[in-house]
Amino acid sequence: MRGFSRRSFLHLGAVAVAAGAVPAGRTGDPFPASAARTGHPFPATAGRAGDPFPALRRRWREVTAEPEGAVAAGPYRRRVAVLAATAAGYRDTMRPDDGSLWPGLAFPSFDETPARLRAMARAYAVTGTGLTGDPALAAAVATGIDHYRRQVYTAGAEPAGNWWNWQIGVPLRLLDAAVLIGPHLGEPRSRALAEAVDHFLPACVLEDYSGTSTGANRVDQCTVMLLRAMLAADGDRAALAVSALAPVFPYVREGDGIYPDGSFIQHATIPYQGGYGLVLLSGLATLFAVLRGTLWQLTDQNVFDAVERSFAPFVHDGFCMDLVSGRGIGRRPYGDHRKGHEIAAAILLLGESASAAERIRWQGMVKGWVRRAAHRPALDPAAHARLAALMADDTIPALAEPAGHRLLPMSARAVHRRPGWCAGLSMASARIGHYEHGNGENLRGWHTGSGMLYWWADGHAEQYSDSFWQTVDPYRLPGTTVSTRRLPDGAGGAWGDTCPPGRWVGGATDGTYATVGQHLNGLESTMEAVKSWVFLDDAVVCMGAGITSDDGVPVETVVDNRRTDAPLTVDRVAGWAHLEGHGGYVLPCAPLRTLRERRSGGAATRGYVTLWLDHGVDPRAAGYLYLLMPGASAAGTRARAADLGWLRVLANTSAQQGVSVPSLGVTAVNFWTEGSAGALSASAPCAVLVRERDDGTATLTVADPREALDELTVTWERPVAGVLGGHPLLSAATTGAALTLVWGPLAGAGGGSATVTVRLGQGRSRTSTAPIEPGPWRSRTRRIR
């Protein structure tokens, strides 16, 4: 926006120009003890006994710029040296005029100019920069803040463009810089900045928790309000900043926020732990730390619980999985690693306000992430300091990656961890969008919700990091079933308004294994299918059925699309393929197509190996079945393909999809309609997972992904001696020659799983050998309370 004049940018009724700065404090001490007498912007109140704001400002500096013990950490010192050189460069090249503060920098520069001023302020406030307490640097920051305030961010201006810049982005950085330089901004300039903030973020915005003032945005707005309170020593605004956080903490069942199953949603339909969720976690961690021990101390357990329920499931070996990063997935290469490390640093900061048990557990978890990380992104000095101090503490052991399955049905996401590999599944539903685009970002993320299956084996933490989104074929994302109909950039509504009608999206898990399904409706397409995944020890069973389309183009299921130049071996007779160093694929009855190509995007060119199944033009009830074996050797893949008894397919139709794996004692069925598959039958659409154990017990887990059932009857044709452990929603059970379970209103479980443990046995039903009739039968069976 070069040449964008102040007159054309501001629409003012009147503009008050404030000037004047307070003499600088002592070099080397950015917050001198005499500041209240000689330099505080509001000296009439700042020095009174009992005034909490001097300590609050000092605590802000300690938390956000210079954590305790940071100076001793070598990596922190290196980051401080970078900060010092950067800030000095900004200071030396700053040339205030009627436009940009820096020659050649775009104007009004909502991001860059405030960020530069904050960097300069941090160099002033942080020990060891060589600029600590430098009055000339502080004066330059003060001049820059007021220049930007007069040119752009001034009371009375019309907030043109994105609201976020005016209520969050600009004031957060300007106020941060103003607080860090302490008295150097001066009273007139401080008052003018406070008035500008009041104009763009009036207190009334925080009175209503809706629209753009929810979730992470509300946390940011409250942080701006608290900084505004610090600047002006305003107790009322500090109290408002804290009270307005109240709606952020409770669990929600719709809209933005944290859900009981651990999901975090922003923009109503987008899972966002790696974007807005990170902002929320980091912001709350900062506020908890800054306000601890003050009049406005925060207390809420949900945010602490969210660390392990909402965020940790999506961090693997130091990076945050892209399936919860919304439109931000392609902003920069290795952005997933940066987000993962920022989440880690935020967890450490929040741990300072958590219980001792939580803090110790989180430290071990984070240390494991960082130690296993394949990439170390540059972070701000405070975050770097916390991570460096943790890694240098030999008394804290690094925890291993936990094995298990986490299914978050409210956000249509699943994560499966086994020794040596990890997988993540991204789906779309009636409540979760196919993808999000906005502000010109992620315009080709169309199919990321069409059953995209991410996976990482040992040594492949960078698979989706190194320019993957810039170079991958957006029509061939791994795991997806898609119409090849060409789509325009930004197809579908912006900001996540891309929800398909399918409601059966989710599944059942016992915490180790899982059966997950998606009723898929293509984006701007007539294509429809049902897809199922069964997550096991060394494989994911992938099934599709009912694949139908009238788009007039081929429909494909992408078995995989790996960013690699590794050799691919395909045995079409035996029905298997192996990608060297990555893993194997078993395809018992489908002709596999393959492609090796080099693709370019931006400044990057990367090699890809693509494996897919072609269902033809306008298929009718097409299907597929294959095994994905992450990390498997060629010999292991070949052996699995030859073992015809390892997997038994019970059904693969648009009515039911199910398999059994006798060696694991696992039976998994997704019932798209009522019916039977193998030994299992269900009275309504649901997901059922059975796991038989060597000790003579079994668990039967059910879920209602549609959230529609007031009652469900599930029968397992297997002798059962008794029920050992029930569930609050289990209303009746019949044991004997078969097990019949009657469940109450699963619709209220949020798509979550309900598990019953039984003792296996022999014998006939204790209640009746006649066909079960729902009414009379219920009166003759044992009730579970």
Side-chain angles (χ1 to χ4, degrees):
M1 298 178 67
R2 191 185 304 272
F4 201 93
S5 71
R6 169 176 174 265
R7 182 176 299 276
S8 63
F9 182 73
L10 298 180
H11 304 276
L12 305 175
V15 178
V17 178
V22 175
R26 291 182 286 114
T27 300
D29 184 1
F31 295 97
S34 60
R37 297 192 304 273
T38 63
H40 191 276
F42 297 91
T45 60
R48 293 186 309 207
D51 177 13
F53 287 100
L56 198 62
R57 288 187 284 270
R58 186 178 297 273
R59 181 61 180 157
W60 176 265
R61 176 179 66 89
E62 293 169 352
V63 169
T64 64
E66 190 174 37
E68 183 179 356
V71 177
Y76 174 77
R77 291 198 300 270
R78 290 192 289 272
R79 291 302 304 154
V80 166
V82 172
L83 172 65
T86 301
Y90 291 157
R91 176 201 59 195
D92 295 342
T93 57
M94 192 172 78
R95 299 287 186 272
D97 59 21
D98 190 23
S100 177
L101 275 167
W102 283 273
L105 185 65
F107 179 79
S109 181
F110 291 117
D111 294 326
E112 186 67 16
T113 296
R116 290 186 179 190
L117 293 170
R118 180 167 65 178
M120 294 165 65
R122 285 180 172 173
Y124 168 83
V126 170
T127 303
T129 63
L131 298 171
T132 309
D134 181 352
L137 177 61
V141 174
T143 297
I145 290 173
D146 197 58
H147 176 276
Y148 195 83
R149 197 257 331 149
R150 287 184 287 108
Q151 295 286 324
V152 179
Y153 196 75
T154 190
E158 180 181 325
N162 194 330
W163 69 271
W164 185 89
N165 293 321
W166 303 94
Q167 292 190 2
I168 294 175
V170 169
L172 195 58
R173 296 180 178 98
L174 293 184
L175 288 168
D176 189 1
V179 168
L180 289 177
I181 63 172
H184 295 281
L185 187 59
E187 181 175 354
R189 290 173 170 177
S190 295
R191 287 192 183 278
L193 178 58
E195 289 170 1
V197 174
D198 292 345
H199 170 69
F200 296 111
L201 183 63
C204 63
V205 169
L206 301 182
E207 294 176 359
D208 182 26
Y209 191 70
S210 64
T212 57
S213 187
T214 59
N217 289 335
R218 172 57 69 97
V219 173
D220 273 345
Q221 289 168 332
C222 289
T223 303
V224 169
M225 191 64 69
L226 181 64
L227 285 166
R228 159 69 175 83
M230 291 186 208
L231 182 69
D234 188 330
D236 290 341
R237 277 186 167 74
L240 173 61
V242 173
S243 64
L245 286 170
V248 173
F249 297 119
Y251 291 132
V252 300
R253 294 298 301 268
E254 62 181 3
D256 293 350
I258 302 172
Y259 286 67
D261 70 346
S263 298
F264 175 80
I265 302 296
Q266 192 82 31
H267 294 167
T269 66
I270 302 299
Y272 242 132
Q273 283 90 332
Y276 289 92
L278 167 58
V279 172
L280 178 139
L281 181 68
S282 180
L284 288 177
T286 299
L287 294 175
F288 269 82
V290 170
L291 296 171
R292 190 168 63 249
T294 72
L295 297 170
W296 307 288
Q297 180 167 316
L298 292 169
T299 57
D300 183 87
Q301 186 58 37
N302 284 353
V303 66
F304 297 104
D305 294 342
V307 167
E308 290 164 281
R309 290 176 54 79
S310 300
F311 292 91
F314 296 99
V315 178
H316 175 64
D317 290 355
F319 64 85
C320 177
M321 301 176 189
D322 283 335
L323 60 159
V324 288
S325 291
R327 73 182 190 279
I329 54 177
R331 282 178 182 161
R332 67 178 82 177
Y334 292 93
D336 53 348
H337 288 263
R338 182 181 184 88
K339 292 168 187 172
H341 281 67
E342 288 175 342
I343 288 173
I347 289 173
L348 291 181
L349 177 56
L350 186 64
E352 297 176 11
S353 303
S355 68
E358 288 170 319
R359 181 165 56 254
I360 292 170
R361 194 165 63 245
W362 297 351
Q363 288 172 337
M365 177 179 69
V366 167
K367 192 168 191 176
W369 291 345
V370 176
R371 180 163 291 175
R372 294 188 298 271
H375 180 74
R376 302 291 174 86
L379 306 176
D380 71 71
H384 213 102
R386 291 188 176 91
L387 292 175
L390 173 69
M391 301 310 292
D393 189 342
D394 294 334
T395 67
I396 300 172
L399 298 183
E401 184 88 346
H405 190 93
R406 279 299 310 276
L407 177 59
L408 290 78
M410 302 303 283
S411 55
R413 297 294 187 267
V415 177
H416 190 68
R417 285 180 165 88
R418 303 307 298 164
W421 64 281
C422 177
L425 178 62
S426 172
M427 302 173 287
S429 71
R431 64 183 306 128
I432 299 300
H434 270 287
Y435 80 115
E436 181 193 50
H437 69 88
N439 289 340
E441 296 180 301
N442 199 35
L443 295 176
R444 297 184 177 182
W446 313 299
H447 298 304
T448 48
S450 296
M452 183 173 177
L453 184 60
Y454 305 70
W455 63 272
W456 303 264
D458 285 344
H460 293 285
E462 301 177 350
Q463 173 61 213
Y464 308 100
S465 311
D466 183 10
S467 301
F468 176 85
W469 296 107
Q470 290 78 19
T471 56
V472 72
D473 183 344
Y475 293 96
R476 286 181 171 164
L477 301 180
T480 61
T481 297
V482 299
S483 164
T484 57
R485 176 184 180 185
R486 302 297 96 172
L487 296 172
D489 287 358
W495 308 109
D497 187 16
T498 54
C499 292
R503 296 173 56 209
W504 203 125
V505 178
T509 179
D510 62 4
T512 299
Y513 304 132
T515 179
V516 183
Q518 177 184 19
H519 180 183
L520 173 63
N521 303 92
L523 177 68
E524 295 194 352
S525 167
T526 62
M527 195 278 296
E528 185 173 6
V530 292
K531 293 169 66 71
S532 290
W533 300 263
V534 181
F535 292 90
L536 301 169
D537 283 334
D538 65 354
V540 183
V541 181
C542 304
M543 293 183 286
I547 303 171
T548 301
S549 176
D550 291 312
D551 287 353
V553 296
V555 172
E556 299 177 350
T557 292
V558 184
V559 175
D560 216 336
N561 198 355
R562 300 296 280 179
R563 185 189 55 75
T564 183
D565 294 314
L568 174 69
T569 300
V570 179
D571 187 331
R572 301 186 187 279
V573 175
W576 62 272
H578 182 262
L579 188 58
E580 186 175 310
H582 290 253
Y585 312 86
V586 177
L587 303 100
C589 55
L592 179 67
R593 301 188 65 177
T594 64
L595 172 68
R596 181 182 298 278
E597 63 178 337
R598 296 192 66 78
R599 296 182 57 85
S600 299
T605 299
R606 299 291 183 267
Y608 285 86
V609 174
T610 310
L611 302 86
W612 79 96
L613 306 173
D614 188 345
H615 303 299
V617 176
D618 291 345
R620 289 291 180 268
Y624 64 85
L625 184 144
Y626 62 90
L627 303 185
L628 166 66
M629 300 179 64
S633 65
T637 305
R638 183 188 306 112
R640 180 60 53 81
D643 187 353
L644 302 181
W646 184 83
L647 179 73
R648 298 176 182 173
V649 179
L650 306 178
N652 190 18
T653 71
S654 57
Q656 292 90 31
Q657 290 177 301
V659 298
S660 68
V661 184
S663 62
L664 299 178
V666 170
T667 300
V669 181
N670 288 335
F671 291 91
W672 304 103
T673 66
E674 63 178 289
S676 300
L680 288 170
S681 61
S683 63
C686 65
V688 182
L689 176 69
V690 176
R691 186 178 174 196
E692 300 181 57
R693 302 175 185 273
D694 293 337
D695 63 0
T697 66
T699 57
L700 190 147
T701 302
V702 304
D704 171 23
R706 299 180 308 143
E707 300 181 81
L709 297 180
D710 292 325
E711 184 175 278
L712 172 68
T713 300
V714 173
T715 299
W716 183 28
E717 297 294 339
R718 173 74 160 86
V720 171
V723 176
L724 301 179
H727 185 277
L729 292 176
L730 180 64
S731 59
T734 301
T735 59
L739 174 69
T740 298
L741 302 175
V742 180
W743 299 87
L746 290 167
S753 299
T755 299
V756 168
T757 303
V758 299
R759 173 71 65 185
L760 299 175
Q762 300 292 329
R764 300 173 66 83
S765 170
R766 289 186 305 198
T767 57
S768 175
T769 59
I772 295 173
E773 296 294 334
W777 172 77
R778 291 191 61 182
S779 66
R780 298 196 298 268
T781 58
R782 183 165 65 93
R783 299 285 172 177
I784 307 297
R785 300 298 184 191

